[in-house]
């Protein structure tokens, strides 16, 4: 599955950096139309996470994953066939739905395969995925140097083919054991101690709500840092892409070593405390960058990017462990599907949150970081009783993987 993650993310890296340019220069859409296209795809994609998780509790996981990868490939290929706006909306929405569902099912597969080593597995998976993103981005940058319509089309075709390759590779993966499709003995008793329906589980829903806030670091790098550098700091505009590189390099180099600090459920919960400090530090250094000259602003923005990247890595470790530990084994797919809503919702509210911080100025960034830090502490308290009451770890399984 790690090879699949590399192939998948390399293809996504090809497309993510040029999608707006493709729809603008190849499909001939206006800025408003491109924005609407992205919004619709994101809104429809929100449903993908819970729907995919629910299906995975009832059908063989690898088969569903194969179907979703092929659906993603079909949606991407379809974009090449038309410039009709209505069809582009439909194909983008279909791709968004399949993408979010596939993301949840990939996490579910990794959880079932890795068992008690799930945190380290996730760390390795994120490292591989970031390497894939970087590789795809480099290829896209080289292709964009040509500046031709054919180059854009080939990048989209490459993204589509990566999904086909991922589907083929998934065929070779063994089907992991699933408590949700075969419940016996002690598993039945465990299922009775926790609600099988995540939508009726108030603690889990509250946890997902706090997760939505903790995922805001994504919007900082995609929207916040570039706009702040351009509009409110004296740092050179060329710093923005360099900070993205810093983010990627830190994740590739440090995600796996940091994972050992959250190897157990209790340790993962404890990580919420230093995580709150990292978020607060990121907000403060971002605010201070507006009060310094070019050199000082550059140093402070670099420190802020490093702090938010550290927060991203710590949260990835915490989120991976707690999202599984808080869920009953017999409904793990459904629960992880609901957890996937946090990232989907963040894609909508994240840009609004960071632009509000920018509009408010240095105080806004201070409040932004402090607000997320406070949410870390709220989550730390929220999950305490649940984790103390019921051991919900996923048992180890053995499965062939290529």
């Amino acid at each position: 599955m790690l090879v699949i993650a590399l192939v998948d993310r390399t293809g996504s890296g090809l497309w993510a950096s040029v999608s707006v340019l493709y729809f603008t220069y190849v499909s001939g859409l206006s800025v408003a139309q491109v924005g609407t296209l992205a919004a619709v795809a994101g809104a429809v994609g929100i449903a993908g996470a819970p729907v995919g998780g629910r299906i995975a509790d009832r059908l063989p996981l690898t088969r569903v994953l194969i179907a979703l990868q092929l659906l993603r490939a079909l949606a991407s290929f379809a974009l090449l066939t038309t410039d009709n706006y209505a069809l582009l909306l439909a194909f983008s929405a279909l791709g968004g739905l399949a993408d979010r569902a596939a993301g949840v099912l990939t996490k579910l597969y990794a959880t079932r395969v890795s068992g008690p080593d799930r945190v380290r597995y996730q760390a390795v998976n994120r490292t591989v995925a970031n390497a894939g993103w970087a590789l795809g981005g480099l290829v896209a940058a080289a292709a964009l140097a040509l500046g031709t319509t054919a180059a854009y089309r080939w990048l989209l075709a490459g993204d589509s083919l990566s999904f086909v390759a991922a589907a083929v590779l998934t065929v070779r993966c063994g089907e992991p054991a699933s408590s949700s499709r075969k419940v016996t003995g002690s598993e039945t008793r465990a299922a009775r101690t926790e609600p099988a329906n995540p939508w009726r589980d108030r603690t889990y829903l509250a946890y997902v709500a706090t997760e939505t806030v903790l995922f805001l670091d994504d919007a900082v790098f995609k929207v916040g840092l570039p706009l702040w550098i351009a509009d409110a700091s004296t740092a050179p505009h060329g710093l923005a892409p360099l900070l993205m590189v810093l983010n990627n390099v830190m994740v590739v180099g440090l995600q796996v070593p940091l994972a050992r600090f959250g190897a157990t459920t209790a340790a993962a919960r404890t990580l919420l405390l230093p995580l709150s400090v990292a978020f607060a530090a990121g907000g403060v250094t971002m605010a201070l960058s507006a009060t310094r000259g070019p050199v000082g602003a550059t140093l402070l923005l670099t420190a802020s990017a490093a702090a938010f990247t550290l927060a991203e890595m710590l949260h990835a470790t915490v989120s991976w462990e707690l999202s599984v530990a808080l869920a009953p084994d017999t409904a793990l797919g459904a629960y992880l599907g609901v957890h996937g809503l946090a990232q989907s919702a963040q894609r909508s509210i994240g840009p609004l949150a960071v632009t509000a911080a920018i509009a408010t100025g240095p105080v806004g960034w201070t409040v932004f970081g402090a607000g997320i830090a406070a949410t870390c502490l709220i989550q730390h308290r929220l999950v305490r009783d649940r984790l103390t009451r019921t051991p919900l770890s996923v048992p180890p399984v053995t499965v062939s993987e290529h």
Side-chain angles (χ1 to χ4, degrees), residues 1-401:
M1 193 58 72
L2 294 176
V3 174
I4 294 172
L6 178 63
V7 171
D8 186 321
R9 292 306 166 188
T10 299
S12 296
L14 292 175
W15 174 240
S17 58
V18 302
S19 59
V20 172
L21 299 177
Y22 177 90
F23 289 125
T24 301
Y25 296 116
V26 179
S27 299
L29 304 185
S30 66
V31 172
Q33 286 176 317
V34 173
T36 301
L37 194 74
V40 169
V44 175
I46 291 176
V51 170
R54 181 67 70 176
I55 293 174
D57 279 336
R58 289 163 171 75
L59 298 175
L61 181 54
T62 52
R63 295 180 187 176
V64 180
L65 263 175
I66 292 169
L68 287 172
Q69 295 288 16
L70 293 176
L71 184 59
R72 294 170 78 191
L74 180 63
S76 293
F77 275 124
L79 293 175
L80 289 167
T81 66
T82 182
D83 292 331
N84 180 275
Y85 187 58
L87 291 176
L88 290 174
L89 276 173
F91 296 149
S92 296
L94 183 63
L97 182 73
D99 180 71
R100 297 307 302 156
V104 168
L105 267 61
T106 299
K107 179 178 180 179
L108 178 59
Y109 184 98
T111 300
R112 291 176 178 174
V113 170
S114 57
D117 293 327
R118 57 179 174 258
V119 171
R120 178 173 174 78
Y121 186 103
Q122 165 66 351
V124 175
N125 184 75
R126 290 195 82 241
T127 299
V128 170
N130 273 269
W133 272 104
L135 178 60
L138 289 173
V139 174
L144 286 179
L146 299 176
T148 63
T149 298
Y152 288 112
R153 293 188 180 278
W154 276 112
L155 289 172
L156 178 53
D159 182 38
S160 305
L161 290 172
S162 73
F163 299 142
V164 175
V168 172
L169 290 170
T170 304
V171 172
R172 303 179 62 196
C173 293
E175 178 67 27
S178 170
S179 297
S180 59
R181 291 193 295 118
K182 185 178 181 180
V183 182
T184 59
S186 61
E187 291 174 325
T188 301
R189 291 192 295 274
R192 292 171 182 168
T193 64
E194 296 292 341
N197 186 344
W199 296 106
R200 298 177 181 175
D201 188 335
R202 294 180 181 178
T203 298
Y204 201 84
L205 290 176
Y207 164 71
V208 171
T210 60
E211 282 287 87
T212 302
V213 178
L214 268 55
F215 275 119
L216 288 175
D217 61 88
D218 182 65
V220 171
F221 283 97
K222 290 183 178 178
V223 180
L225 272 168
L227 287 180
W228 186 249
I229 290 171
D231 295 339
S233 83
T234 57
H237 292 183
L239 180 64
L242 293 179
L243 294 182
M244 290 294 292
V245 172
L246 173 65
N247 170 264
N248 193 266
V249 169
M250 286 183 64
V251 172
V252 171
L254 298 175
Q255 184 69 72
V256 174
L258 284 174
R260 72 177 186 272
F261 296 108
T264 66
T265 302
R269 176 175 175 264
T270 301
L271 277 184
L272 285 165
L273 301 179
L275 175 59
S276 67
V277 175
F279 274 123
V284 169
T285 49
M286 186 82 86
L288 290 175
S289 69
T291 65
R292 298 292 188 274
V295 175
T298 297
L299 293 175
L300 285 166
L301 286 168
T302 301
S304 182
F308 278 118
T309 300
L310 177 61
E312 174 190 338
M313 294 185 289
L314 291 176
H315 180 234
T317 298
V318 174
S319 179
W320 176 266
E321 176 62 24
L322 294 187
S323 63
V324 175
L326 291 169
D329 295 346
T330 52
L332 190 56
Y335 272 70
L336 291 183
V338 171
H339 181 262
L341 291 174
Q343 278 185 302
S344 298
Q346 184 280 143
R347 292 184 178 184
S348 297
I349 69 172
L352 297 177
V354 296
T355 51
I358 291 171
T360 312
V363 173
W365 278 115
T366 303
V367 172
F368 179 87
I372 305 179
T375 305
C376 292
L377 301 180
I378 292 171
Q379 187 178 112
H380 184 269
R381 175 65 179 82
L382 174 68
V383 303
R384 184 186 65 181
D385 294 340
R386 174 74 158 261
L387 295 177
T388 302
R389 184 174 68 251
T390 308
L392 293 171
S393 296
V394 177
V397 297
T398 302
V399 60
S400 60
E401 182 177 7

